Amino acid sequence: MNKRGKYTTLNLEEKMKVLSRIEAGRSLKSVMDEFGISKSTFYDIKKNKKLILDFVLKQDMPLVGAEKRKRTTGAKYGDVDDAVYMWYQQKRSAGVPVRGVELQAAAERFAQCFGRTDFKASTGWLFRFRNRHAIGNRKVCGEQVLRSASENVEPFRQKLSMLIKEEKLCLAQLYSGDETDLFWKSMPENTQASRKDICLPGRKINKEQLSALLCANADGTHKLKSIIIGKSKLPRSVKEDTCTLPVIYKPSKDVWFTRESFSEWFFQNFIPEVKHFQVNVLRFHEEDVRALLLLDNSPVHPSTDSLTSEDGRIKCMFFPHDTSTLIQPMNQGVILSCKRLYRWKQLEESLVIFEESDDEQDKGEKGVSKIKIYNIKSAIFNWAKSWDEVKQITIANAWENLLYKKEPEYDLQGLEDGDYREILEKCGELETKLDDDRVWLNGDEEKGSPLKTKGGITKEVVQRAGAEEQTAEFKLSAIRKSLDYLLDFVDATPEFQRFHFTLKEMQQEIIKKQFQSRIHSRIGSFLKCRPHNIKDSFNMPSTSGCSK
């Protein structure tokens, strides 16, 4: 039984439960005692039954929306919000994934239609819109999956609360960690450098990728050194100084974490750093050192049994499947803030302030040259500095939803989309558009995929085989002719030049297939005019050998 109090505030999910008790014929006193509410609150809920039900059922995922909100007040610009949500639902029903940048662009279009000149589809607006309609910060997945995930949230909260009480943990002893992708060298489309870069063979300049792990405690007083996974070993200029790097760097061919690398980080870095912090900063006795690390239920994380310190005082706990976007604190603005800070530093080092006398050719060459100078060492130091600058209040607020069922405050002051637009314009980058900037800022918003399971690899191979059979129905010569025509069009049209590299890759693949099919046809005609067992006497060339 909850303690009755004058100032008890129920969220929408609890108000729905109150209404269900009323429908079931429960007495006024029993409902007041169960939910700890006053008589006036009881009658207010009963009076506003239709308003509450309409609002909750309108949400994309009613269970999630009701669980997180306490008020039925809508958005400041209700007409824009309704229009964007209707557009989103249409896209979702058609099975089309909708990214955050697309929601922002749609909002601005509708705001213009409604004459809302003071409306800004900022990152903060996007965050509130997603929370209002319980839209996860990821590609759209099945409603059944989200519904199942939302139903697992409250039992997990209760389990976590019991564990915190049993272990007598304070906020400083509660940790969360999460992995993310970082395209450390990417720049917005249509900058002077990117337009020049389109003409360069390979266009590798914007494809550099790293993976990073961020971990901090619930009150934001302890941020652990970030771990970075790169594709190759560090260059000589960095190798000599590896021990003093502000991050932990590990090379990996797949540029992602493995069970081995994560386990190594947990025992060699996480446990020692946590013990040092609690003994030397918090001044705890060694026997009082305890910690609980919350992680996604990912294939790259070993079991919770194996992620435990020798004395059993430092352990891990996994979030339920598919709940990361709902309650994982690092996904409630922490990783996003770090990436925004990193992009700011990257721009400061990578952009060129052009002279008025510079022509387009000079601007492009200067821009490409400047970006090439920006190396992995610069990226590592900028990432570490960005993580250091993430505010303590940002981390603390990110835990509000998980621990207290409160909607987290989202403060990106100075790091909104328009702020990056300003620095680009100051450097003479006038051709980039706000949508280009948003795609760049949120390009690595999705967390990278972990290593595929055997079943996943099998599925992918089957899908590829099916795709190859489907391609055979088309004439390769006709496809190549169309690609050649498209490439001519792209080269002659500046606004479409960003597609050059993709089309060129397709053209090269088609040429390979033409070459392979020509060899196969020659082999087929060769076999037709000989006895059926003649192939046993020859070492037949394979398809892979032909492509090489």
Side-chain angles (χ1 to χ4, degrees):
M1 182 186 297
N2 291 333
K3 184 180 178 181
R4 291 175 59 184
K6 186 178 179 181
Y7 302 106
T8 301
T9 305
L10 304 183
N11 60 34
L12 291 179
E13 183 185 28
E14 291 166 332
K15 289 178 181 178
M16 294 280 285
K17 289 179 180 177
V18 169
L19 290 172
S20 70
R21 303 293 191 275
I22 295 172
E23 289 290 327
R26 292 274 296 275
S27 68
L28 168 65
K29 186 178 184 304
S30 66
V31 175
M32 289 170 57
D33 288 340
E34 180 181 354
F35 294 94
I37 56 175
S38 64
K39 189 174 181 179
S40 60
T41 302
F42 174 89
Y43 282 112
D44 283 342
I45 294 173
K46 187 176 180 180
K47 177 183 176 183
N48 295 315
K49 174 182 176 181
K50 187 176 185 304
L51 179 65
I52 294 169
L53 290 175
D54 287 347
F55 183 86
V56 172
L57 293 174
K58 182 184 173 184
Q59 307 310 305
D60 184 47
M61 282 299 303
L63 286 173
V64 184
E67 179 185 86
K68 296 175 78 172
R69 294 182 62 84
K70 294 187 177 181
R71 302 182 185 89
T72 54
T73 52
K76 181 180 179 182
Y77 301 94
D79 47 4
V80 176
D81 190 274
D82 290 342
V84 175
Y85 186 61
M86 191 180 298
W87 173 85
Y88 165 78
Q89 285 185 311
Q90 288 175 347
K91 290 285 185 183
R92 192 194 67 170
S93 62
V96 180
V98 181
R99 297 179 300 168
V101 291
E102 291 163 340
L103 287 170
Q104 288 173 295
E108 288 180 342
R109 288 197 302 271
F110 286 121
Q112 194 172 7
C113 293
F114 291 121
R116 301 290 192 180
T117 55
D118 54 343
F119 174 82
K120 291 183 77 174
S122 63
T123 307
W125 171 86
L126 177 63
F127 182 79
R128 290 188 293 274
F129 177 84
R130 279 172 159 164
N131 274 347
R132 198 155 43 240
H133 298 287
I135 300 172
N137 189 18
R138 57 180 175 182
K139 292 181 180 177
V140 178
C141 63
E143 184 168 333
Q144 188 175 0
V145 174
L146 278 178
R147 186 178 298 276
S148 174
S150 67
E151 289 171 352
N152 291 330
V153 168
E154 191 54 38
F156 176 80
R157 277 200 186 102
Q158 294 173 4
K159 184 179 177 182
L160 175 63
S161 178
M162 287 176 59
L163 190 58
I164 290 171
K165 290 176 181 176
E166 288 173 5
E167 298 287 337
K168 297 180 181 178
L169 300 173
C170 63
L171 287 178
Q173 294 174 307
L174 196 58
Y175 288 79
S176 174
D178 201 14
E179 300 91 351
T180 185
D181 282 335
L182 178 68
F183 294 98
W184 61 273
K185 216 170 186 178
S186 73
M187 292 290 285
E189 291 283 352
N190 287 321
T191 59
Q192 300 289 344
S194 68
R195 291 199 296 276
K196 175 69 177 174
D197 188 23
I198 289 171
C199 304
L200 299 177
R203 199 184 181 195
K204 295 178 181 178
I205 201 168
N206 291 340
K207 297 294 180 182
E208 309 288 354
Q209 181 182 352
L210 296 172
S211 295
L213 168 69
L214 296 179
C215 181
N217 63 359
D219 62 2
T221 55
H222 185 203
K223 289 185 283 189
L224 283 82
K225 186 183 282 191
S226 178
I227 179 171
I228 295 283
I229 304 289
K231 191 167 188 177
S232 57
K233 293 182 179 179
L234 291 171
R236 290 180 184 177
S237 59
V238 185
K239 278 182 187 176
E240 299 170 1
D241 203 29
T242 304
C243 297
T244 58
L245 281 177
V247 301
I248 303 159
Y249 184 88
K250 302 285 183 183
S252 170
K253 189 179 290 185
D254 297 305
V255 199
W256 193 245
F257 294 83
T258 63
R259 284 173 173 256
E260 292 74 20
S261 63
F262 190 88
S263 183
E264 182 181 321
W265 169 80
F266 180 80
F267 288 103
Q268 295 184 12
N269 300 103
F270 179 74
I271 291 177
E273 284 193 51
V274 167
K275 286 182 176 179
H276 180 271
F277 174 75
Q278 294 190 18
V279 171
N280 295 286
V281 179
L282 300 181
R283 301 295 180 184
F284 286 179
H285 294 294
E286 289 191 9
E287 58 270 18
D288 294 328
V289 172
R290 286 178 176 78
L292 178 65
L293 173 61
L294 303 182
L295 299 166
D296 291 343
N297 203 330
S298 166
V300 302
H301 297 152
S303 66
T304 52
D305 292 336
S306 59
L307 292 177
T308 307
S309 61
E310 289 184 7
D311 56 14
R313 293 175 181 169
I314 299 178
K315 56 184 74 173
C316 291
M317 184 178 182
F318 290 158
F319 290 105
H321 285 291
D322 301 313
T323 59
S324 178
T325 57
L326 303 176
I327 53 175
Q328 159 67 280
M330 304 307 284
N331 285 339
Q332 307 298 316
V334 178
I335 290 176
L336 178 61
S337 295
C338 189
K339 286 186 175 181
R340 289 292 175 107
L341 288 162
Y342 171 82
R343 290 300 180 205
W344 192 270
K345 299 179 194 311
Q346 181 200 358
L347 277 186
E348 289 179 331
E349 289 193 33
S350 301
L351 284 180
V352 179
I353 300 177
F354 300 114
E355 303 292 337
E356 290 184 7
S357 58
D358 289 338
D359 57 22
E360 292 298 313
Q361 181 73 13
D362 290 338
K363 288 180 179 180
E365 289 176 357
K366 285 182 179 180
V368 171
S369 175
K370 187 78 172 176
I371 292 174
K372 283 184 175 179
I373 294 172
Y374 187 78
N375 57 27
I376 194 167
K377 185 175 182 179
S378 300
I380 285 172
F381 276 84
N382 281 338
W383 177 257
K385 194 172 181 184
S386 300
W387 177 225
D388 188 55
E389 290 178 7
V390 172
K391 297 175 184 176
Q392 181 180 341
I393 188 66
T394 300
I395 297 172
N397 284 341
W399 288 78
E400 293 280 292
N401 182 25
L402 174 61
L403 297 179
Y404 312 113
K405 294 187 184 181
K406 292 182 181 177
E407 189 171 326
E409 295 181 17
Y410 206 64
D411 181 19
L412 282 179
Q413 189 174 1
L415 299 172
E416 291 283 4
D417 305 334
D419 298 313
Y420 294 87
R421 178 93 229 102
E422 287 181 17
I423 190 173
L424 286 164
E425 288 176 353
K426 285 178 183 177
C427 293
E429 296 288 358
L430 304 177
E431 297 296 322
T432 62
K433 299 176 181 177
L434 188 57
D435 285 348
D436 295 329
D437 301 340
R438 283 173 176 161
V439 170
W440 168 67
L441 285 167
N442 302 307
D444 43 17
E445 177 183 271
E446 304 268 339
K447 191 165 63 174
S449 302
L451 299 176
K452 295 183 180 69
T453 61
K454 187 170 76 172
I457 294 171
T458 306
K459 185 178 179 181
E460 185 173 330
V461 170
V462 171
Q463 288 174 340
R464 284 183 181 177
E468 287 178 3
E469 289 175 6
Q470 190 176 6
T471 306
E473 298 174 7
F474 301 93
K475 286 188 176 181
L476 293 175
S477 57
I479 297 172
R480 183 176 173 184
K481 187 176 180 181
S482 299
L483 280 171
D484 292 341
Y485 184 74
L486 269 174
L487 279 165
D488 290 339
F489 168 73
V490 165
D491 290 339
T493 315
E495 60 265 34
F496 289 99
Q497 285 184 0
R498 63 182 182 275
F499 300 111
H500 178 95
F501 178 67
T502 303
L503 291 172
K504 198 70 180 173
E505 275 191 333
M506 287 180 66
Q507 184 193 52
Q508 290 168 358
E509 288 299 317
I510 293 298
I511 292 171
K512 281 183 185 178
K513 284 188 175 293
Q514 283 182 308
F515 180 66
Q516 291 169 8
S517 62
R518 190 175 302 165
I519 289 178
H520 284 304
S521 63
R522 285 178 182 174
I523 292 169
S525 60
F526 174 76
L527 292 174
K528 282 178 185 177
C529 58
R530 281 163 175 77
H532 68 278
N533 63 347
I534 193 76
K535 59 183 178 182
D536 297 332
S537 306
F538 291 88
N539 184 15
M540 298 294 293
S542 67
T543 304
S544 58
C546 296
S547 65
K548 290 179 183 177

